[in-house]
């Protein structure tokens, strides 16, 4: 099944009829996986369109980060479920784009409701990077508790309190992928996008509370990587200390994501939870991250 590009326009999506047609063609019990990019992509700009980059089965960009999410998720193979590349306008000043992500979340919720209404038998998955995590989490309160089955967040640019609020009453399984390589970008996020609560922290620090439906996975931490290896998902060590894209660039990660999204893999979430070490993994933190801690503590708060 080819990957379907979908674009958010304000709080709705374009071409809903194309989505309905693609969903109707799926076999019973299949899946629909929404893929959501982060900052500095815009589907309305040919040079910066995610539909020609990471959300395309064949990216036409020469950028080293232009690896195909749908191809690595095997969504371009016969018999696979439907891959839906969800594009939204994510260019401009970071604070403005972060606020715009909430409207994109409303558009995503509409697309998911349309998917559920058209094909209630499908398993709905979400893969989101950076500010795409805010888009994904903002959609959840607009949906029924079981509308989304599984979600993977990569270096999620969102705060703990908003994530916890979005998860209230939900029954989906969430894999929150973090890395100390993203510390610089976490610091920039905290500095430029006001936290909604005093002492709030980004999802890079984990959800901050125990949840049977949420796993924090630090892919640069030795114990976490060893746990993945024991489960058959060997990954490589980081080659750089600063990288915002390691959640999808590091070799071996997509094998885990494919297994997590596979409708036939019902026990992987619990196996992963049992294999990971108890308690938070040690995470490297840059001086900018420490500065952002201090700034967040004393700069006041703002409601997005």
């Amino acid at each position: 099944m080819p990957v379907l590009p979908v674009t958010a326009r304000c709080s709705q999506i374009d071409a809903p009829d194309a989505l309905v047609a693609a969903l109707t063609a799926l076999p019973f019990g299949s899946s629909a996986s929404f893929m959501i990019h982060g900052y500095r992509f815009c589907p309305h700009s040919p040079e910066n369109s995610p539909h020609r980059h990471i959300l395309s089965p064949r990216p036409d960009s020469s950028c080293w980060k232009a690896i195909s999410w749908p191809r690595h998720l095997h969504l371009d193979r016969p018999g696979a479920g439907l891959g839906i590349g969800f594009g939204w306008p994510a260019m401009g000043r970071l604070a403005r784009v972060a606020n715009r992500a909430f409207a994109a979340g409303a558009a995503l919720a509409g697309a998911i409701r349309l998917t559920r209404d058209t094909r209630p038998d499908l398993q709905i998955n979400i893969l989101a990077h950076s500010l795409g995590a805010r888009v994904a989490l903002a959609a959840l309160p607009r949906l029924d508790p079981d509308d989304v089955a599984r979600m993977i967040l990569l270096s999620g640019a969102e705060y703990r309190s908003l994530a916890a609020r979005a998860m209230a009453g939900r029954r989906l399984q969430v894999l929150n992928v973090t890395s100390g390589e993203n510390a610089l970008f976490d610091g920039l996020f905290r500095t430029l996008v006001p936290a909604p609560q005093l002492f709030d922290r980004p999802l890079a620090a984990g959800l901050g509370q125990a949840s049977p439906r949420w796993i924090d996975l630090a892919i640069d931490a030795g114990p976490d990587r060893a746990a993945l290896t024991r489960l058959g998902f060997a990954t490589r060590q980081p080659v750089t200390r600063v990288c915002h894209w390691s959640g999808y660039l590091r070799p071996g990660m997509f094998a885990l994501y494919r297994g997590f999204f596979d409708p036939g893999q019902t026990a992987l979430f619990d196996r992963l939870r049992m294999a990971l070490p108890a308690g938070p993994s040690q995470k490297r933190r840059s001086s900018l991250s420490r500065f952002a801690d201090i700034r967040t503590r004393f700069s006041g708060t703002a409601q997005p």
Side-chain angles (χ1 to χ4, degrees), residues 2 5 20 43 75 84 94 101 106 129 160 172 227 245-246 271 276 282 291 299:
V20 170
L75 294 171
I84 304 166
L94 180 61
H129 175 243
R160 282 175 166 179
L172 75 163
W245 311 274
S246 61
R271 290 175 58 215
L276 288 171
Q282 290 282 44
F291 167 76
S299 63

Side-chain angles (χ1 to χ4, degrees), residues 57-282:
R58 296 176 180 81
D60 61 5
S61 172
S62 60
C63 176
W64 62 278
K65 302 188 296 291
I67 75 161
S68 169
W69 290 9
R71 190 171 71 242
H72 282 79
L73 288 172
H74 294 178
L75 294 171
D76 60 337
R77 300 190 177 189
L82 177 65
I84 304 166
F86 185 87
W88 60 287
M91 295 190 68
R93 293 178 57 185
L94 180 61
R96 291 181 179 177
V97 174
N99 192 56
R100 199 181 301 146
F102 292 112
L108 174 64
I112 292 174
R113 286 196 303 269
L114 180 60
T115 300
R116 178 61 65 217
D117 291 343
T118 306
R119 291 294 305 271
D121 60 298
L122 298 183
Q123 173 180 296
I124 297 178
N125 307 313
I126 297 176
L127 174 65
H129 175 243
S130 187
L131 274 175
R134 171 167 283 192
V135 175
L137 290 164
L140 294 184
R142 300 171 180 268
L143 300 170
D144 289 338
D146 294 318
D147 279 349
V148 178
R150 299 170 190 175
M151 181 163 66
I152 300 173
L153 307 178
L154 310 178
S155 300
E158 184 53 290
Y159 286 101
R160 282 175 166 179
S161 64
L162 295 183
R165 189 185 309 168
M167 286 291 295
R170 306 296 107 185
R171 290 195 279 267
L172 75 163
Q173 297 174 336
V174 179
L175 181 62
N176 179 41
V177 179
T178 71
S179 174
E181 301 158 282
N182 197 58
L184 172 65
F185 301 92
D186 289 326
L188 289 172
F189 176 71
R190 298 185 71 176
T191 301
L192 299 176
V193 181
Q197 294 182 5
L198 196 63
F199 307 121
D200 214 342
R201 301 185 68 185
L203 286 178
L207 187 61
Q209 56 184 270
S211 171
R213 299 188 176 277
W214 183 288
I215 292 177
D216 294 312
L217 173 65
I219 60 174
D220 65 327
D224 290 33
R225 292 181 57 249
L228 291 180
T229 299
R230 290 194 298 273
L231 291 175
F233 303 108
T235 64
R236 295 183 187 174
Q237 291 184 344
V239 296
T240 177
R241 292 187 176 182
V242 180
C243 185
H244 184 50
W245 311 274
S246 61
Y248 63 85
L249 290 180
R250 181 172 300 185
M253 294 309 303
F254 270 100
L256 173 64
Y257 304 157
R258 289 193 299 269
F260 189 75
F261 281 169
D262 185 348
Q265 290 267 17
T266 58
L268 180 56
F269 185 84
D270 291 331
R271 290 175 58 215
L272 183 58
R273 177 183 294 282
M274 294 293 294
L276 288 171
S281 298
Q282 290 282 44

